[in-house]
Amino acid sequence: MFFLLEARRFPPLKRKPCYGIKERVIQEPNVHFWNNISKPIIALSPMDGVTDPCFRRIVATHGKPDLIVTEFTSVEGILHGAESELGGLVFDEIERPIVAQIYGSNPESFFLIAQLVCELGFDGLDINMGCPAKAVSSKGCGAGLIADPPRAKAILQAARQGIDAWVAGGALPMVDLHPKIGEWLTRRKEVGQLPPSERRPLPVSVKTRIGVNRVVIQEWVSHLLEEKPAAISIHGRTLHQGYRGAADWKAIAEAASIARGSGTLILGNGDIRSLNEAAQRIRESGVDGVLIGRAALGNPWIFRKKSLLREALSHHEPELIPDEPASPLERLEAALEHARLFQESRPLSRFAEMRKHLGWYCKGFPGASQLREKLVRVRNVDEVEALLAPFLSEVSYR
Ligand SMILES: Cc1cc2nc3c(=O)[nH]c(=O)nc-3n(C[C@H](O)[C@H](O)[C@H](O)COP(=O)(O)O)c2cc1C
């Protein structure tokens, strides 16, 4: 069997974990916002250390993808009340629809954290079954779950049970267990982030890869489909590949064909650099949408012509979507806006975390590489402003 590729590291799981909640009868998937957004879906892929609340807001403002996913957040980190993990779960209304991505290996933790994600007002919950980092996958989290399908299923079921418990009106159990979370929630409410007025079930989705050390897309996707997730996003590489080689879009197309008619949407992911490439991948693979990751670094505008992509796909003759890169002025203004947002909303974070973004924005105009060399040393937004000012005045007159 494909999941015996790696030695089992976990004690055997009960087929259906039950935490005092009535066993859930699997009905038609809860698609909610997934049903309502335009198809094919052009979404921002989650990226740890990148798609933090500031970057997500910039992308939502300048690119407006159909869907935004947070960086992955550790369920155990949240349960320990780690401010760094909780901070990633703050969002602005402009980011909607917004899905919280979480990772871990203990179903019981997913049961608890799913309730917190509901309480925070997210539109969906995504479970990371694709992270290849050793620190994550070797502990049976992320892509490590591809090697342990029973646990992957148990996690999906536990998350759903958590959502059901929240919908049924229960108090958040982790608030008593972990006072730091309670304090954090109180502070969120003080700054105006209120829980949703209506307790509606949140759709659960999965983001994963095509296998551990070989492609097992058919078995793996069929296994996940038994749990009827609202969507499965597939990065077309194996765990062992990491980011090497090219994304295998044939495997992604196979997943789309297996899932067709199941009610679960398939989103393809890997190596898309433009909306034209996205259109081609969608046309060839039959996916319901794509996630774009690295091509959005310093380029939130990549999403802005997505309605033209849908138009192009509706014609039999493929049409080219005009590639209109952001102007130097737009890039520099966005860099400054992002830096201001970062300093304002993350006063306790090291400004050094912002430098990589500044470098990604500052491309494609004379003097950009010299500017980037200076930006890698900035310590605050005033220094960014001083460095950008001469460029801003020059490019705005062109
Ligand atoms: C810096 C970085 C951080 C990432 N963090 C996450 C993450 O938190 N969750 C996740 O599901 N994928 C994560 N990924 C994977 C991306 O979402 C995406 O699957 C991958 O980059 C391939 O898509 P792309 O070629 O469009 O970048 C990360 C990728 C990068 C480059």
Side-chain angles (χ1 to χ4, degrees):
M1 268 183 293
F2 76 102
F3 52 81
L4 295 178
L5 286 167
E6 287 192 355
R8 292 282 299 279
R9 302 180 206 89
F10 303 105
L13 290 161
K14 281 189 254 161
R15 243 193 75 66
K16 276 190 184 280
C18 185
Y19 305 97
I21 310 294
K22 201 168 64 178
E23 193 170 286
R24 187 176 215 276
V25 180
I26 301 176
Q27 294 161 347
E28 283 309 296
N30 288 319
V31 269
H32 304 284
F33 80 88
W34 291 100
N35 258 355
N36 299 332
I37 50 178
S38 308
K39 312 278 178 343
I41 300 164
I42 311 296
L44 173 66
S45 212
M47 285 179 283
D48 184 36
V50 177
T51 56
D52 63 1
C54 299
F55 181 63
R56 296 197 312 257
R57 223 158 117 180
I58 293 288
V59 174
T61 308
H62 296 279
K64 199 72 200 131
D66 296 315
L67 167 69
I68 287 182
V69 188
T70 68
E71 318 167 74
F72 72 170
T73 306
S74 154
V75 288
E76 304 309 331
I78 303 172
L79 282 174
H80 286 103
E83 195 81 28
S84 56
E85 300 291 332
L86 288 164
L89 296 177
V90 173
F91 65 90
D92 189 272
E93 286 299 307
I94 194 178
E95 296 171 48
R96 288 193 189 280
I98 171 126
V99 170
Q101 192 190 66
I102 55 176
Y103 76 95
S105 69
N106 178 8
E108 197 156 350
S109 305
F110 281 84
F111 171 77
L112 295 171
I113 298 308
Q115 296 176 64
L116 178 66
V117 169
C118 292
E119 181 80 4
L120 290 173
F122 279 96
D123 296 298
L125 171 70
D126 189 74
I127 299 175
N128 182 303
M129 300 192 187
C131 179
K134 223 181 182 130
V136 173
S137 61
S138 67
K139 293 189 186 122
C141 312
L145 284 165
I146 306 173
D148 193 352
R151 182 170 291 268
K153 248 189 191 182
I155 284 175
L156 274 162
Q157 290 163 3
R160 285 238 178 80
Q161 287 172 351
I163 292 167
D164 286 353
W166 180 81
V167 171
L172 289 186
M174 81 289 287
V175 169
D176 291 333
L177 291 172
H178 305 279
K180 272 190 193 165
I181 299 180
E183 287 160 22
W184 183 79
L185 275 173
T186 308
R187 269 182 278 135
R188 297 301 321 146
K189 284 175 191 162
E190 280 164 8
V191 296
Q193 195 174 32
L194 297 172
S197 51
E198 206 186 327
R199 291 196 173 210
R200 276 184 297 169
L202 229 60
V204 178
S205 55
V206 171
K207 180 165 178 285
T208 188
R209 288 186 173 233
I210 56 178
V212 174
N213 49 17
R214 64 184 178 90
V215 180
V216 290
I217 197 72
Q218 202 190 343
E219 303 93 315
W220 177 228
V221 166
S222 304
H223 183 79
L224 291 174
L225 285 176
E226 286 170 25
E227 284 304 315
K228 295 188 179 287
I232 305 176
S233 302
I234 300 167
H235 177 190
R237 290 184 173 88
T238 62
L239 185 167
H240 285 177
Q241 255 184 298
Y243 288 86
R244 289 186 305 275
D248 180 348
W249 277 85
K250 278 208 180 101
I252 295 172
E254 205 181 327
S257 135
I258 296 164
R260 201 153 295 133
S262 67
T264 295
L265 302 173
I266 298 290
L267 273 64
N269 168 240
D271 304 342
I272 292 177
R273 284 163 303 179
S274 68
L275 286 190
N276 277 308
E277 282 188 18
Q280 194 187 335
R281 291 302 191 191
I282 292 165
R283 198 179 284 117
E284 287 169 2
S285 66
V287 291
D288 302 289
V290 293
L291 298 178
I292 298 179
R294 289 166 293 176
L297 302 179
N299 186 15
W301 304 276
I302 190 167
F303 302 99
R304 66 179 164 183
K305 294 269 187 283
K306 59 188 191 308
S307 52
L308 286 184
L309 174 146
R310 288 195 261 271
E311 225 172 88
L313 282 172
S314 67
H315 296 144
H316 292 302
E317 287 297 314
E319 273 176 36
L320 269 190
I321 303 151
D323 186 18
E324 283 172 24
S327 69
L329 181 62
E330 276 178 301
R331 302 182 78 86
L332 291 167
E333 282 181 344
L336 195 51
E337 183 187 351
H338 192 160
R340 285 191 181 125
L341 196 57
F342 185 93
Q343 188 158 304
E344 187 188 299
S345 58
R346 296 181 56 180
L348 301 177
S349 300
R350 290 171 57 238
F351 196 77
E353 286 180 44
M354 182 60 218
R355 293 174 185 159
K356 57 181 183 284
H357 289 282
L358 296 171
W360 291 328
Y361 287 116
C362 293
K363 280 181 190 156
F365 52 88
S369 69
Q370 292 91 321
L371 177 59
R372 282 200 303 276
E373 276 169 30
K374 293 182 184 144
L375 286 169
V376 293
R377 287 189 289 275
V378 286
R379 286 164 303 177
N380 53 50
V381 78
D382 294 340
E383 291 184 7
V384 177
E385 258 184 280
L387 282 174
L388 297 192
F391 287 87
L392 274 167
S393 56
E394 197 182 318
V395 294
S396 56
Y397 290 112
R398 281 213 202 115

